[in-house]
Amino acid sequence: MPKMKIDGIEIEVPAGITVIQACELAGVEIPRFCYHERLSIAGNCRMCLVEQEKAPKPIASCAMPVAEGMVIKTDTPLVKKARNGVMEFLLINHPLDCPICDQGGECDLQDQAMAYGFDRTRYHENKRAVPDKDLGPIVKTSMNRCIQCTRCVRFATEVAGVEELGATGRGEGMEITTYVQKTLTSELSGNIVDLCPVGALTSKPYAFNARSWELRKTESVDVMDALGSNIRVDTRGAEVMRVLPRVNEDVNEEWISDKTRHAIDGLKRQRLDQPYVRRDGKLKPASWGEAFAAIAERMGKIKSAGIAAIAGDQCDAESMVALKDLMAALGAKGVECRQDGTQLQAGPRGGYIFNAGIAGIDKADLILLIGTDPRAEAPVLNARIRRRALNGGLKVGVIGEAPEDLTYPVERLGASAKALDDLGAFGEALKAAKTPMIIVGQGALARPDGAAILAKARALATVRDDWNGFCVLHTAAARVGGLDLGLTLDGGVEGVLKGCEDGSIELVYLLAADEIDTKRLGKAFVVYQGHHGDSGAHRADVILPGAAYTEKPGVYVNTEGRVQLAKRASYPPGEAREDWAILRALSGVLNKPLPYDTLEQVRARLVAVNPVFAAIDLQKPGAWGAFGKDGAASDAPLRSTIANFYMTCPISRSSRVMADCTALRRASLAVAAE
Amino acid sequence: MAMITADPKDVPQVASFEWTAENLAIAKGFVAQYPAGRQASAVIACLDLAQRQSGGWLPRVAMDHVAKFLDMAPIRVYEIATFYTMFSLKPRGKYLLQVCTTTPCWLRGSDAVMKACREVTGVGPGEVSADGLFSTMEVECLGACVNAPMIQINDTFYEDLDETSTKKVLEALKRGETPKPGPQVDRQTSAPVGGPTTLSTIRSE
């Protein structure tokens, strides 16, 4: 632990860090453009110059390792003069277009120019002009503003794993480009907008929409995949303007996927903003009273055992527990939350969560992916596996039809679950590994032999006191919460649909459940409570308009079993209401009032049903026990349940940006196939 | 205003590029000079070889082939090829005339050399002559100041030039001859004009 002195502060810092990090530990802020703590060191912007005693000239603090007895000064006239000079150079070619630049107000260059800028220019030559690049529907470029910090190049190369961006040319002719004029093929490309310290890369869907100081910022949790990425929802009035990542080292670090970031324009389309009741075969607008009355009337006519409910993939835990309690009060069959037909059971928690934790990937020395395509199912998690792979000493095996490029080298062990029976040399490596991870995806579980594959995967997993390597990667944000609440029925969603077809189920309550085959609902009376006019609403007999994830406070449990709180960022449109409140109101109309009237009481009820809901933002391996079912696996290939990353839920299906991304991806796949 | 065009859109399309058997062996030799797994270190040597094979410039397919050969992402190769002026991304003439115009050569008359080049080839710096034989480039010091002014034609230096001798060299090239490289005046390499003036008594036995 070297001891050093920074601006007179004596400090002991960990060996191997750089001066800029030591300064941060000492509480001294150093201006920087190219340095980013999650990317490799470039040292090319020169903004972080500091004075080191006995050094002949200022040093770039981001690239200088700390050493014993170093004396650093960051507030001397020399440092100030050096940074002023660097800033003047950076501004030689930077356009003075801050008033029309989307970065304005949250621009590193703008901020630091306030401290180090020169108020006139000494350069009278024309500024250089750089053609703008087309990086796809997510990233807008204005390359004249680029200061060549190369953060975007390093992000694409190191984190996203798509080596497509580069800096070509030299000197004044240097530019950031893909050179071959193609768009980025990454699910994480939106992050380069956050990384860009100037306005060269800005968000295309958000272009010229708002200024950062007009927005109200709300901390929330993403529901586009099961990772539960921590997000910040920026709203102006009732409108969600943008979604940005929030730092959570254990979940998403500071990245989010393009779907998380840009599916939000889907929140404005296809919304259900008032109740509807089907009369004479057509859905007609109705009042809440009429809608509830229609449900009550139908329920009065049927046996309570003929009622079943399906909870959707993006539901908050509050609405799911209210639905569970309502169904119990009615004496109904119950609630099913496994829309994709996964064979997971609500048994021991260790059997359905990502036990090792997302941060556990950093510790893994071997990863076996079974029936999953993490790049499509959880791109941020995939980036973490990539980083672990880059650090060396990681072996990754794949069983199933994972895509060609997962951004890290993999060993393909077979397309079907038969490969689990004989892993060959990989099996030896698995036995020898100290911290192996078995990651099971829904592609392996949402099929008739899913329980058998689950049992086989369980047998392979290393479970010790200090390591549980059995990991289930979910694709639905609500799934672990649903399983924690025990929302399973014998026969699963297939049983419910069969019941509808043969008439034994006469009323189905869909809580934002759209991923089922609605044609198979038969003659059942369908109540749809949700926020989008997707497949569930089209089939419904009564529609109760609910709230999307940004419009209600909610509890979500991510794939690793971490309970997270999302705050309300805006309000549901029109007459739509929060989902648990709708169920509470309906229970009153049905004369089975639920025993809670406030959100706090619902959350207390959640904890009563399952104590895990009390441990907010904590992750630990679940209880271990017996799960899965012995049996033979078929030799049908394991295929991820996600065919198109950009469209997986009613919100992303309604999003124009996601549609553009889908079209682009299809076009590039078509070109590649030629 | 400097308008940046790193990707020349007006270059002819080249359908494919493969190492010739001979060059493949040479390229493998470049790779063998570096430790295993560090084959990317051979990229500049391979690009130069590819440029020679494709007639003095690097079509995209050649860069892609080098990228594949060295197991690099293509963009990493484009970065290098666009950085170094020794690589051309546009077709060049058969003879690349690199006219040094740095101070020593300029003082000794590089303007006249440049004028001669322009007159014989009919084109200025950055262009290719109509017969496809010549392209001219103004370059900084090539380190032959003692023999200034000079031009580099492909891999060879022609030194101690003036307008007449430059024209003579270029006309010879036009005729398909190979003019004598080195000083174009009576001079042995960089020894004084007209023979040695010092150490004249020392003889090699």
Side-chain angles (χ1 to χ4, degrees):
Chain A
M1 296 270 284
K3 282 195 191 67
M4 55 192 298
K5 210 170 181 182
I6 297 168
D7 288 350
I9 308 165
E10 294 255 10
I11 185 168
E12 207 176 318
V13 296
I17 66 168
T18 58
V19 172
I20 201 170
Q21 291 169 311
C23 288
E24 251 157 39
L25 290 177
V28 178
E29 201 183 327
I30 307 288
R32 86 284 304 265
F33 293 113
C34 72
Y35 173 78
H36 192 275
E37 59 267 26
R38 287 178 219 280
L39 302 174
S40 66
I41 293 166
N44 55 6
C45 78
R46 315 310 288 179
M47 196 61 203
C48 65
L49 293 174
V50 297
E51 199 179 340
Q52 184 193 347
E53 214 173 82
K54 294 185 185 127
K57 38 184 193 172
I59 57 162
S61 61
C62 70
M64 175 68 84
V66 293
E68 181 65 40
M70 228 178 202
V71 179
I72 300 290
K73 292 179 195 145
T74 71
D75 52 0
T76 59
L78 176 80
V79 170
K80 173 89 171 127
K81 194 178 166 199
R83 290 182 189 163
N84 283 353
V86 169
M87 178 59 80
E88 195 175 356
F89 273 15
L90 286 176
L91 292 178
I92 290 176
N93 277 316
H94 191 80
L96 265 178
D97 60 358
C98 301
I100 56 146
C101 174
D102 260 333
Q103 192 85 352
E106 47 186 3
C107 174
D108 289 357
L109 189 65
Q110 204 177 30
D111 294 348
Q112 289 173 38
M114 295 305 289
Y116 300 100
F118 188 48
D119 62 352
R120 277 150 288 152
T121 180
R122 292 190 281 175
Y123 300 91
H124 300 287
E125 293 82 6
N126 283 325
K127 298 191 182 213
R128 72 182 201 139
V130 190
D132 290 343
K133 311 292 182 292
D134 180 11
L135 296 181
I138 304 274
V139 183
K140 180 175 185 249
T141 63
S142 178
M143 300 313 283
N144 284 345
R145 298 176 186 148
C146 178
I147 58 168
Q148 283 113 28
C149 69
T150 69
R151 277 187 188 179
C152 50
V153 175
R154 284 174 283 149
F155 176 84
T157 308
E158 294 159 15
V159 180
V162 289
E163 270 195 279
E164 291 170 358
L165 266 186
T168 62
R170 52 161 33 179
E172 199 193 26
M174 180 172 164
E175 55 179 320
I176 303 294
T177 172
T178 57
Y179 191 73
V180 289
Q181 278 132 36
K182 64 174 180 180
T183 53
L184 287 180
T185 54
S186 171
E187 294 80 11
L188 296 166
S189 63
N191 291 300
I192 63 175
V193 172
D194 290 346
L195 285 171
C196 185
V198 296
L201 305 176
T202 52
S203 169
K204 205 175 256 180
Y206 173 70
F208 308 127
N209 269 348
R211 284 301 197 181
S212 61
W213 57 84
E214 305 171 317
L215 302 172
R216 200 178 60 238
K217 289 119 182 137
T218 313
E219 297 191 343
S220 184
V221 174
D222 173 50
V223 297
M224 293 295 154
D225 56 36
L227 199 64
S229 296
N230 289 204
I231 54 171
R232 193 185 94 190
V233 181
D234 284 7
T235 50
R236 188 175 59 189
E239 193 181 352
V240 176
M241 302 305 290
R242 63 174 177 179
V243 165
L244 294 177
R246 214 156 32 97
V247 176
N248 187 333
E249 295 295 341
D250 293 330
V251 182
N252 56 319
E253 300 179 278
E254 63 176 272
W255 319 123
I256 52 174
S257 73
D258 288 350
K259 184 166 51 173
T260 301
R261 195 184 292 266
H262 287 301
I264 48 159
D265 66 319
L267 290 170
K268 286 179 240 166
R269 295 198 181 85
Q270 294 275 79
R271 288 305 299 269
L272 301 171
D273 58 357
Q274 68 179 105
Y276 288 85
V277 175
R278 194 177 289 276
R279 293 196 185 97
D280 309 326
K282 283 216 163 111
L283 283 167
K284 301 264 168 65
S287 70
W288 277 104
E290 287 163 356
F292 284 158
I295 298 170
E297 189 204 333
R298 176 53 77 117
M299 282 193 179
K301 287 183 192 159
I302 58 175
K303 286 198 293 286
S304 55
I307 301 174
I310 299 175
D313 287 350
Q314 296 180 321
C315 297
D316 53 319
E318 290 93 334
S319 63
M320 288 194 288
V321 78
L323 183 63
K324 176 188 164 93
D325 288 346
L326 177 64
M327 288 298 136
L330 290 169
K333 219 164 137 59
V335 188
E336 172 59 56
C337 73
R338 299 164 298 174
Q339 275 193 89
D340 57 5
T342 180
Q343 300 291 317
L344 293 168
Q345 298 296 332
R349 199 167 195 243
Y352 60 84
I353 67 169
F354 202 94
N355 287 296
I358 294 158
I361 291 170
D362 301 345
K363 284 182 242 157
D365 57 359
L366 178 142
I367 293 177
L368 176 59
L369 301 168
I370 305 172
T372 177
D373 168 11
R375 194 169 166 178
E377 290 169 19
V380 176
L381 181 134
N382 197 53
R384 203 154 185 150
I385 300 179
R386 171 176 165 77
R387 185 182 61 194
R388 176 66 196 82
L390 286 182
N391 286 342
L394 178 74
K395 224 174 155 66
V396 183
V398 170
I399 296 177
E401 292 184 339
E404 198 172 314
D405 184 15
L406 280 171
T407 72
Y408 39 85
V410 296
E411 222 172 289
R412 294 190 186 259
L413 306 169
S416 81
K418 290 266 187 238
L420 282 167
D421 298 328
D422 178 23
L423 289 170
F426 193 86
E428 298 302 313
L430 178 63
K431 265 183 213 134
K434 288 193 181 64
T435 46
M437 270 176 132
I438 311 288
I439 300 182
V440 192
Q442 302 310 312
L445 302 173
R447 40 192 271 150
D449 57 352
I453 297 175
L454 187 68
K456 285 180 203 293
R458 181 186 185 279
L460 289 176
T462 302
V463 181
R464 297 190 302 260
D465 283 350
D466 62 336
W467 181 258
N468 184 337
F470 181 80
C471 302
V472 177
L473 182 58
H474 288 271
T475 52
R479 186 66 44 79
V480 175
L483 291 170
D484 281 342
L485 293 170
L487 304 186
T488 55
L489 293 175
D490 289 339
V493 81
E494 182 64 27
V496 176
L497 293 173
K498 276 210 182 104
C500 291
E501 279 172 332
D502 66 24
S504 67
I505 290 175
E506 295 175 80
L507 187 147
V508 182
Y509 199 106
L510 299 179
L511 181 63
D514 292 290
E515 318 300 324
I516 51 170
D517 185 0
T518 49
K519 288 193 196 79
R520 295 183 58 199
L521 290 171
K523 290 198 175 121
F525 187 83
V526 177
V527 179
Y528 181 82
Q529 177 185 340
H531 43 82
H532 270 77
D534 209 83
S535 57
H538 285 296
R539 170 61 184 81
D541 294 295
V542 176
I543 293 176
L544 306 175
Y549 70 111
T550 54
E551 296 152 4
K552 58 188 171 189
V555 169
Y556 299 94
V557 191
N558 78 353
T559 189
E560 50 171 358
R562 184 188 300 271
V563 179
Q564 301 190 104
L565 286 183
K567 292 184 183 144
R568 187 205 333 259
S570 72
Y571 287 87
E575 290 179 45
R577 293 291 178 269
E578 275 172 43
D579 291 281
W580 76 268
I582 295 171
L583 288 156
R584 170 66 187 80
L586 177 62
S587 71
V589 174
L590 297 174
N591 281 324
K592 311 268 185 200
L594 296 173
Y596 26 79
D597 295 313
T598 66
L599 188 66
E600 286 66 39
Q601 289 169 336
V602 186
R603 290 193 174 154
R605 170 73 188 144
L606 276 177
V607 177
V609 173
N610 192 336
V612 296
F613 284 100
I616 302 292
D617 203 24
L618 273 182
Q619 198 276 328
K620 58 174 199 232
W624 198 244
F627 55 83
K629 210 159 59 196
D630 286 336
S634 81
D635 47 11
L638 306 178
R639 203 166 285 146
S640 171
T641 50
I642 293 185
N644 173 12
F645 161 73
Y646 294 107
M647 289 189 173
T648 52
C649 63
I651 300 171
S652 51
R653 279 194 290 268
S654 309
S655 159
R656 184 167 289 166
V657 181
M658 292 296 107
D660 290 346
C661 289
T662 304
L664 191 72
R665 176 63 62 93
R666 292 226 170 104
S668 71
L669 286 179
V671 169
E674 270 170 23
Chain B
M1 191 190 302
M3 188 70 183
I4 292 161
T5 44
D7 181 28
K9 290 185 189 68
D10 49 348
V11 298
Q13 294 292 311
V14 176
S16 68
F17 179 93
E18 282 285 334
W19 291 124
T20 58
E22 195 182 17
N23 281 348
L24 180 64
I26 298 174
K28 281 186 175 156
F30 292 146
V31 171
Q33 290 172 9
Y34 301 99
R38 304 284 176 196
Q39 74 286 354
S41 301
V43 63
I44 293 181
C46 286
L47 278 175
D48 182 56
L49 189 65
Q51 174 160 298
R52 284 164 197 275
Q53 187 181 319
S54 351
W57 70 292
L58 279 171
R60 169 101 60 79
V61 283
M63 294 190 277
D64 289 343
H65 185 74
V66 169
K68 213 172 148 199
F69 177 70
L70 298 174
D71 194 20
M72 298 166 76
I75 183 71
R76 298 281 94 86
V77 176
Y78 305 150
E79 283 180 323
I80 291 157
T82 53
F83 183 87
Y84 291 104
T85 49
M86 66 185 271
F87 299 123
S88 174
L89 304 175
K90 284 185 207 165
R92 277 174 176 166
K94 185 176 173 198
Y95 300 105
L96 172 66
L97 314 179
Q98 301 187 59
V99 185
C100 174
T101 55
T102 308
T103 317
C105 280
W106 175 68
L107 285 169
R108 297 274 299 146
S110 67
D111 285 354
V113 175
M114 190 53 116
K115 185 166 157 264
C117 288
R118 195 183 287 270
E119 277 169 17
V120 176
T121 64
V123 291
E127 294 166 302
V128 184
S129 65
D131 54 8
L133 273 183
F134 298 103
S135 46
T136 321
M137 220 176 137
E138 222 179 287
V139 297
E140 300 304 326
C141 187
L142 289 171
C145 312
V146 77
N147 294 75
M150 58 80 66
I151 57 178
Q152 185 184 342
I153 301 179
N154 292 351
D155 293 330
T156 319
F157 278 15
Y158 290 87
E159 299 158 324
D160 296 308
L161 296 163
D162 56 20
E163 198 175 333
T164 332
S165 57
T166 309
K167 279 185 179 164
K168 231 166 82 188
V169 168
L170 299 184
E171 294 295 350
L173 288 172
K174 257 190 178 173
R175 288 192 301 271
E177 298 161 14
T178 311
K180 181 177 77 79
Q184 301 300 308
V185 294
D186 174 27
R187 186 176 184 185
Q188 181 204 346
T189 61
S190 53
V193 179
T197 54
T198 56
L199 305 176
S200 51
T201 52
I202 294 178
R203 294 207 186 96
S204 59
E205 296 300 323

